[in-house]
């Protein structure tokens, strides 16, 4: 698997992987307040997470194997920090949809190019998603506030956009990356407020990767359209 990953990633993506791994080790080493088990789980979430997102940006179905470990570890980290929206998002949505995503990506995976076939969203569907997102953010903020969660507006926005972005990822829409950019910005702010620099680093690099993913998937979509014409 590691040999395939090595050939799948660009130099920029390897920079992302090494940056997250290096900063994760550094922040774990200097942390004198967190318990050893929290640092271990947090580090596993960060390192597996960066492999997951860079492989997703590359259109590789192997992203789902790394994503499973990342999600499991991240649930523990988010629960400990009382980001209940993140906990529910990952435990009740991301974890089950890993298997759904594997199915759809396998079904629409090109054996010739070794990458998934992506699609472009219609403007009408985009407008519906924007309106629905605004309503869901407001309602979920109220729910999280009653649970006593932290930073409920940010938590709600991150969760709502993540649900939609993940669905678009499973369905192979390139517009997922625009939403991942928003999610990553919001989540970076959340973890800065929580004072967890391992998670802050992970999500900051996720943000860079989302920008890279948008460029890559736009190029992939143009290539597919050219082939189909």
């Amino acid at each position: 698997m590691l040999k395939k990953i090595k050939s799948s990633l660009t130099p920029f993506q390897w920079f992302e992987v090494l940056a997250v791994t290096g900063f994760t080790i550094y922040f774990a080493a200097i942390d004198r307040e967190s318990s050893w088990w929290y640092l271990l789980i947090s580090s596993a979430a960060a390192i597996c997470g960066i492999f997951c997102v860079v492989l997703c940006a590359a259109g590789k179905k192997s992203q789902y194997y790394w994503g499973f470990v990342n999600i499991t570890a991240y649930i523990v980290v988010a629960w400990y920090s009382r980001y209940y929206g993140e906990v529910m998002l990952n435990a009740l949505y991301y974890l089950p949809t890993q298997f759904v995503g594997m199915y759809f990506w396998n079904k629409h995976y090109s054996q010739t190019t070794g990458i998934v076939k992506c699609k472009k969203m219609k403007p009408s569907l985009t407008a519906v998603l924007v309106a629905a997102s605004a309503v869901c953010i407001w309602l979920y903020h109220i729910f999280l506030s009653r649970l006593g969660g932290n930073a409920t507006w940010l938590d709600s926005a991150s969760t709502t956009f993540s649900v939609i972005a993940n669905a678009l990822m499973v369905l192979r829409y390139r517009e997922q990356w625009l939403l991942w950019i928003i999610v990553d910005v919001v989540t970076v702010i959340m973890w800065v407020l929580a004072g967890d620099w391992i998670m802050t680093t992970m999500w900051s690099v996720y943000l860079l990767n989302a920008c890279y993913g948008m460029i890559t998937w736009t190029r992939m979509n143009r290539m597919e359209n050219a082939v189909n014409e």
Side-chain angles (χ1 to χ4, degrees), residues 66-77:
W66 296 91
F68 183 82
V69 180
N70 163 257
I71 291 168
T72 304
Y74 189 72
I75 290 170
V76 178
V77 174

Side-chain angles (χ1 to χ4, degrees), residues 148-191:
N150 292 329
T152 53
W153 275 112
L154 292 175
D155 200 2
S156 177
S158 173
T159 302
T160 300
F161 286 130
S162 293
V163 167
I164 299 172
N166 190 69
L168 296 182
M169 180 183 72
V170 169
L171 296 174
R172 301 169 291 108
Y173 282 108
R174 68 169 185 137
E175 285 76 11
Q176 61 164 301
W177 295 109
L178 293 175
L179 289 180
W180 286 130
I181 290 171
I182 298 173
V183 169
D184 294 341
V185 170
V186 172
T187 313
V188 165
I189 296 172
M190 286 170 54
W191 287 112

